[in-house]
Structure formats: C-alpha cells, structure tokens
Amino acid sequence: MQLSRELMLRAYRQMKVIREFEERLHAEIQTGEIAGFTHLYSGQEAVAVGVCEHLTHDDYIISTHRGHGHCIAKGCDVKGMMQEIYGRAGGLCKGKGGSMHIADVDKGMLGANGIVGAGAPIAVGAGISAKLDGKGGVSIAFSGDGACNQGTTFEAMNMAVVLKAPVIFLFENNHYSEHTGVDYAVGTAGDIASRAEAFGMKVWRGNGCDFFETFELMREVIEYCRAGNGPAAVELDTERFFGHFEGDPQRYRGKGELDRIREERDCLTNFRAKVTGAKLLEAADLDALDAEVLTLIDEAVAEARAAPRPSADNVLTDVYVNY
Amino acid sequence: MATMQLREAINLTLHQEMERDPNVICLGEDLVGGMGTAGGPEAIGGIWKTTAGLYAKFGADRVIDTPISESAIIGAAAGAALAGKRPVAELMFADFIGVCLDQIWNQMAKFRYMFGGKTTCPAVIRVAYGAGRNAGPQHSQAAYAMMTAIPGLKVVIPSTPAEAKGLLASAIRDDDPVLFFEPKALYATRGEVPEEEYLIPFGHARSVREGEHATIVTCGQLVGTAEKAADTLAKEGIGCDLLDLRTTSPLDEEAILDSVETTGRLIVVDENPPRCGLAADIAGLVANKAFAALRAPIQLVTPPHTPVPFAPELEQAYMPSTAKIEAAVRAALNYR
Ligand SMILES: Cc1ncc(C[n+]2csc(CCOP(=O)(O)OP(=O)(O)O)c2C)c(N)n1
Ligand SMILES: [Mg+2]
C-alpha cells in the first residue's frame, strides 16, 4: 500500500527522534552525568515505529530494559523521558524509575521493564482488559531474543492462545542477549517464530531494519488481532548499534561487524534512500526534519541538565495510593 | 597475601574449589560471556568478571552458560545438588530471586526436611545485591533478609575480599543450600587476601572494631559504612563495638548478646526495608534475651518502607549512611 506523504514524514521523524535521543545519550553518558545502567535502542527504530504507528492510546505496549525507542514511538514526552534518565524531579517518573522504568500508562505505555521476560504476562492482562472493553484494542509485548527463553514468555503465549486474547508477542531478534549469541541461547537454531507457532498462534517474520516492510507486516498482524482472531507472534530481525549497556566493550562482535551493520542495515539511511530514490519525498524534506529533531534533543538535554533534582523526602511518596 | 578486588577473590575461590572438587559446577547467564558469537567463549568473561577464566580451564560441561531462564537455572542447581553435584549458580542481580523463588523457597530449602533428613542439597546461589549504583528499583535490592526468613537456607554476606574468599569456600563445601550475597558496589574494592585455601565458618560474627559504649551490628557493604562512623565517633571518645555478621542464617546470637551485655546499647544497620527485616529480627532477639542489659532503646538504621529509587539524591536518602549511623549511636548515648 502506498503510504501518505504525511505518514512517511511522521515515521521518519519518529525514527530520527529515537536515533538522536540514543546517539546523544551515548555521548552524554561519557560525561558521567547520567547515573545507572542505560541500554540504547539505536538500530532498532524501524521496529518501534513500524509497530506503534498503527496504535492508538487504547492499545497497550509493554517494553523491556531497552525501552527508550518503544516509549518515544508510543508517544511518551521526549523531554520528560530525558529528565527521567537524568534522574530529575520533573522526569516522567519523578526520577524514581530511571531509564529502565519509563512509563506513561495513560498513553498505553505500560513501562520499560528491568526484569527480562516480565512483560509478556503483563501484556496478556492488558489484552484481556482490551478485549473486555470491546473497542478492538490490542496489547503488544516487546521482547528480545533473550527474553524469549523465559518460562514467563512461554506461559504467557499459551495463556493468550487459550484465552484468545488480542496480544501480539513481538520478538526483536538483534542476535544477542547481553554477550551471548542467539544461536547458542535459543534452542531452535535461533528461530523464535517457529517456537511461538508451536503454541498455536499465527506468526509473521520480517526485516526489522526496513520500516516499510515492518509497517506493512504489522498492518496485517494488528488487523488480524483487532478482528478477534486471538494472539499472534512476530519475529523481526534487527540490529543493535551500541553495546548491551553503555560501557560494554563488545568483544563478542565480529571484526568490522559494527561498521557493517551501520553501513548495510541502518533503517534511517535505508528509508531515505528508498523515498528519495522513488521520488516520494525530497531530501530537503528529510533534512528539515533532521534539523528539527536535533534542536529538540539539544533542548531536551539542556533542559534536563538544568532541571531541579528531586528532594530527599520524595523517597517516601508514591509507594501506595493510601496507607 | 596478595592485594585483590572482591571480584577477583571470588574468581580465585571458584578456581580453587573447582580444582579441588570435580563435583563443583558453575551455571548462570553470561557466565562465560560470548557463547555463540564471533568473539567466542570468554570474549567477556561474565558480566561481573567473577567467573572469568573458568570455562577455559574447566570446560563447557562444568562451566555452564545458560539462556535467560532463572527458574530453570536455580531448579537445575537444586536437581544437580540432589543428584550428587555441588552447583554454584549465579543470579546476576539479587532482584531476580523474584523470578525463581519457587525453586529456592519451596524446593531446595525444603528437600531435606520433607524427605525426612535423607538427603542433602549442597547448592550455592551467588547473587549480586545492593544499592549504590543507581540501578533502580529492580536492580538494587538487598533481599537477604527475605532469604534469612526461610528455614532450610543458609545466608552469607561477605564484606571484604578476604571475607568473600573464606566464606565462599565454606559455602561451596557446605551440605545445605546457601544464598551467597555479593555486595556489587564493592566488586572493585581491594583488600589483602591470602592466596592459599582457607575457610571461614558460618555463624561466627567478625569483630571489626572493639568499643564499650555501643554495639553496632551489620553486614555486607554496610560494614564499611559503619566502620567509618565508628572511626569518627572514636575520635570523640565514643567506643563502638562493631560486629560484621558474615552470615545471617545461622546467626551468631552469642556475639551480639555478649556485646550488648557490655555496651548496653544496640544499633542495627541493615540495607533491607524495616518491616520484618534483619534489624527488627536482631532487635527482637536482644529485647528478648538481653533486655536487662539495655540502657537505651535499640536504634534501627534501615532504608524506609519503599522500593529503592533511581535518582542519586533519592538513593542516597534511601540508604543507611555514616551520618545516620553516627546519629543513631548518639541518640542511644544521649538517652537519659
Ligand atoms: C530476569 C532477568 N534476568 C537477567 C537480566 C539481565 N539482563 C538484562 S538485559 C539481558 C539480555 C536481554 O536480551 P534480549 O532479550 O535479547 O534483549 P536485548 O538486550 O537484546 O534488547 C539480561 C540477561 C534481567 N534484567 N532480568
Ligand atoms: Mg537481543
């Protein structure tokens, strides 16, 4: 299906926001100003955006430790996210969660998550709720190729099938769980989709570095789930451009691997080549978005750095609704 | 003696114990680091570098790099222990106990009792614990109090590199399941460590500082914090008797009670939230068994009843600190 100019511009912009957010964090983390563990999503942008461009606030997603991209794609406020990562009082979660726990439940973003494999069962619950609400909402669990090995993920897949819940198990196969290769850790020779299929659901596979392919595939998957067919699983092949976490020496990578994946599998470069090659968009359109996004991220960082830090008494708030 | 980091002391102990006993096996996520990658096995050598070099020396059958499957890892440790091995399983963060609690709580802790004393389950679960690295609510918890509450488990919390070495060797040779809590904020701290094999027995607290005015009881990474507080107070003529518990199960009741008999004042410093925690446990012990010796209310220095927050200012406010310990000692001394 030919995408509208507006949609293409928006998708490019979203992917670019994620990319610049992450590349900038990569640089800012070197300054030592950002505390904690940060896992960057650079390289996987086409997945988050290719999925979330189909969703509304009535649809749910749950994310992982590598959550910034999913948050941005689902509409979380970029400046509030930056403040959260800087541990500021004005952060999206008041500095209490940090990079691994950014959430905006009102937007259907049920949180990044520090526990690998925790997301899939939670997504089933959100799927049950969406089914009860009867508005055609779906629930999407983003999981990595590592998370697919947790029993929680298996249980969630079976339960979603049994309950015919509108849940999409979205596996981002970036070939690594921390420092371990997918072929070693996933017993089906690295094939995640076939495992999901064995649970009794329909599965799709695609190139997660290609926005157009991911977007079209997700249109089908989401229509299928919205129509009440029960759960589905999707395995998207993608790349992470940085280390597992910031500070990872990445000695497990092959020689030239990082250069090669940035050269051949960059979803933004590929998007640009495709749309300008086919004369769907002008390079100048994209350049203008690039500049706008850079300004946004510059502002987000400057504002986060200047923002007030939480005061000590905030430790005690938000534990309960009332107590 | 050699000077080494806490992580190196653990690594050396694992090497020595695997060398000594062919039944010792290690398992966990990214224990080898690099399996199934171009860089190959040992490309990284474990996320905390505590297991580096084991694979090269002892091979894939005994140094088992697992998928991300905590329930299966800890369950497999329980099973291997029942079947005659001495598994040393690693959980990358203590918080992940939540993922595999059944295997710890309902399985390995209870086998011996349920089976009428006919079996042993000599498994060690090594976990990296504690706040101080701004790792947020799901990667910073202390969790040893919860484990201490479980009958059938032994719980060990080393405070220095030398302590880690002697206690881990004892844990591996112990015939009961042991939870071994490594203070992750201290992995890079250095200390003098005897390179030869030695064992530190369980249930014997370490006297870190001697003093007559107040007893401070703590363990793990807070021993260093309490030491600083004790040293500051010593300059003012306030003598603190500082005990490092080493193991919270078994608990060295005698050392605690003996000290309180002398000082009459007790300050318990614990990294767990206060409800049903270690501090309350020890306070209960002393209130029960040394009531007459007490000259002031027992002071509890713990985090508040909240999760561990991410932002540095919040995490600092959450954690017991030297200032809070000093204040607690003064409060005890200024009482009446
Ligand atoms: C229960 C649990 N086990 C282990 C970890 C440590 N850990 C964090 S991310 C990660 C690897 C996850 O790999 P994958 O699911 O492929 O996601 P990716 O990092 O590639 O995005 C591991 C082992 C964790 N956070 N939670
Ligand atoms: Mg992965």
Side-chain angles (χ1 to χ4, degrees):
Chain A
M1 193 189 288
Q2 183 48 56
L3 307 185
S4 72
R5 173 184 164 82
E6 187 199 352
L7 194 146
M8 284 187 291
L9 287 172
R10 193 173 66 229
Y12 179 83
R13 185 177 184 285
Q14 285 288 68
M15 292 199 294
K16 187 72 181 173
V17 171
I18 299 172
R19 175 67 55 85
E20 286 307 324
F21 192 92
E22 301 294 61
E23 301 282 327
R24 184 65 184 269
L25 273 179
H26 177 71
E28 295 299 329
I29 283 166
Q30 320 292 324
T31 69
E33 264 181 86
I34 296 171
F37 293 101
T38 319
H39 307 82
L40 301 180
Y41 192 73
S42 279
Q44 305 183 201
E45 296 87 347
V47 176
V49 177
V51 171
C52 292
E53 276 301 311
H54 293 287
L55 305 181
T56 74
H57 290 353
D58 291 330
D59 297 309
Y60 298 100
I61 68 166
I62 187 154
S63 172
T64 69
H65 56 286
R66 198 175 302 290
H68 305 167
H70 306 136
C71 292
I72 292 172
K74 193 72 170 68
C76 290
D77 175 49
V78 170
K79 291 182 172 178
M81 287 178 59
M82 193 63 88
Q83 281 209 41
E84 185 61 28
I85 292 164
Y86 271 84
R88 297 308 202 260
L92 221 46
C93 306
K94 304 182 193 167
K96 285 180 170 167
S99 163
M100 266 192 287
H101 304 288
I102 296 174
D104 194 342
V105 175
D106 292 342
K107 296 199 166 129
M109 201 296 156
L110 304 186
N113 203 307
I115 301 296
V116 170
I122 299 171
V124 175
I128 290 171
S129 176
K131 193 174 163 185
L132 279 171
D133 289 344
K135 290 189 243 164
V138 298
S139 172
I140 300 183
F142 287 97
S143 306
D145 50 284
C148 84
N149 295 320
Q150 285 283 34
T152 47
T153 309
F154 299 163
E155 292 173 23
M157 288 198 286
N158 181 55
M159 196 156 123
V161 169
V162 170
L163 302 179
K164 268 194 143 204
V167 182
I168 299 165
F169 299 93
L170 195 304
F171 294 102
E172 291 181 75
N173 186 346
N174 62 10
H175 318 128
Y176 295 99
S177 55
E178 280 191 354
H179 314 139
T180 299
V182 63
D183 293 345
Y184 176 80
V186 176
T188 43
D191 179 351
I192 301 165
S194 61
R195 209 149 76 172
E197 196 166 24
F199 279 97
M201 69 187 106
K202 197 166 170 187
V203 302
W204 280 259
R205 295 177 177 82
N207 175 4
C209 291
D210 181 332
F211 168 78
F212 295 97
E213 182 175 333
T214 300
F215 184 81
E216 286 308 327
L217 178 157
M218 286 311 299
R219 184 202 306 280
E220 245 180 79
V221 179
I222 289 168
E223 272 172 14
Y224 172 87
C225 285
R226 288 205 200 287
N229 291 303
V234 181
E235 178 179 353
L236 295 171
D237 187 273
T238 183
E239 305 287 350
R240 93 165 131 70
F241 285 173
F242 289 114
H244 170 61
F245 56 87
E246 286 306 274
D248 172 4
Q250 301 191 69
R251 288 190 298 268
Y252 47 84
R253 299 257 193 199
K255 197 159 170 272
E257 181 179 328
L258 283 172
D259 291 338
R260 182 182 53 75
I261 59 179
R262 285 227 184 221
E263 176 75 26
E264 293 170 9
R265 301 207 71 205
D266 184 329
C267 57
L268 280 152
T269 319
N270 293 345
F271 185 108
R272 182 181 274 265
K274 199 168 268 180
V275 294
T276 52
K279 304 235 175 323
L280 298 170
L281 295 174
E282 298 291 318
D285 298 330
L286 303 177
D287 294 344
L289 285 178
D290 287 354
E292 186 193 316
V293 168
L294 271 181
T295 309
L296 171 71
I297 301 299
D298 278 345
E299 283 172 14
V301 170
E303 288 172 25
R305 294 183 65 199
R309 295 167 189 273
S311 68
D313 44 342
N314 283 315
V315 173
L316 302 177
T317 58
D318 304 319
V319 183
Y320 300 97
V321 176
N322 55 57
Y323 196 60
Chain B
M1 286 280 196
T3 304
M4 64 180 81
Q5 297 180 336
L6 192 142
R7 63 157 57 92
E8 292 166 339
I10 286 165
N11 185 260
L12 175 61
T13 316
L14 292 171
H15 274 275
Q16 288 177 347
E17 292 300 306
M18 290 195 77
E19 183 80 55
R20 186 188 58 81
D21 181 352
N23 281 326
V24 177
I25 60 172
C26 289
L27 67 164
E29 294 160 16
D30 268 306
L31 207 70
V32 179
M35 297 302 273
T37 71
E42 296 275 15
I44 298 291
I47 187 94
W48 302 115
K49 308 276 186 300
T50 48
T51 49
L54 292 174
Y55 179 88
K57 190 143 171 223
F58 301 104
D61 289 346
R62 290 181 65 199
V63 182
I64 303 166
D65 200 301
T66 69
I68 307 178
S69 309
E70 281 81 6
S71 285
I73 296 167
I74 302 307
L82 278 183
K85 298 296 174 287
R86 291 192 173 270
V88 182
E90 180 182 285
L91 290 179
M92 212 175 276
F93 288 83
D95 314 68
F96 307 164
I97 287 171
V99 182
C100 52
L101 187 57
D102 176 63
Q103 295 295 340
I104 298 174
W105 187 30
N106 290 319
Q107 309 305 326
M108 55 173 64
K110 295 180 171 58
F111 285 152
R112 182 169 175 80
Y113 191 80
M114 295 191 293
F115 302 163
K118 288 194 197 119
T119 189
T120 60
C121 184
V124 177
I125 306 175
R126 297 178 40 239
V127 306
Y129 89 90
R133 293 182 72 138
N134 312 114
Q138 295 174 340
H139 284 72
S140 305
Q141 295 171 93
Y144 54 79
M146 232 160 52
M147 295 296 103
T148 305
I150 299 178
L153 296 180
K154 290 177 178 168
V155 180
V156 183
I157 310 126
S159 57
T160 70
E163 289 285 307
K165 183 159 185 294
L167 286 167
L168 181 57
S170 293
I172 294 171
R173 297 184 199 189
D174 200 279
D175 285 336
D176 289 314
V178 178
L179 266 286
F180 190 84
F181 282 83
E182 300 171 7
K184 62 177 175 281
L186 300 187
Y187 270 136
T189 57
R190 290 174 180 283
E192 291 283 296
V193 180
E195 282 155 298
E196 68 277 10
E197 289 178 20
Y198 60 95
L199 301 172
I200 298 176
F202 292 174
H204 293 275
R206 175 172 71 105
S207 167
V208 182
R209 291 282 186 283
E210 292 188 0
E212 56 185 347
H213 299 114
T215 301
I216 305 178
V217 175
T218 188
C219 63
Q221 65 166 323
L222 290 176
V223 170
T225 313
E227 242 176 302
K228 283 190 203 117
D231 290 345
T232 307
L233 292 163
K235 287 184 198 131
E236 298 170 25
I238 301 170
C240 294
D241 209 41
L242 173 57
L243 292 176
D244 170 4
L245 289 174
R246 287 176 162 158
T247 63
T248 54
S249 179
L251 179 69
D252 189 349
E253 296 191 3
E254 201 179 302
I256 299 168
L257 295 172
D258 281 354
S259 176
V260 173
E261 290 292 345
T262 314
T263 63
R265 299 178 187 91
L266 174 66
I267 292 88
V268 195
V269 184
D270 180 24
E271 197 179 324
N272 291 277
R275 299 298 313 279
C276 301
L278 188 72
D281 183 63
I282 291 170
L285 167 80
V286 170
N288 181 233
K289 295 192 176 166
F291 184 70
L294 285 172
R295 294 204 261 165
I298 299 166
Q299 307 291 317
L300 308 184
V301 183
T302 72
H305 184 62
T306 75
V308 189
F310 158 69
E313 296 75 17
L314 298 181
E315 195 189 52
Q316 268 164 35
Y318 173 91
M319 275 294 271
S321 61
T322 48
K324 288 177 198 166
I325 298 169
E326 284 171 37
V329 173
R330 288 183 214 286
L333 278 155
N334 293 338
Y335 181 76
R336 277 210 289 254

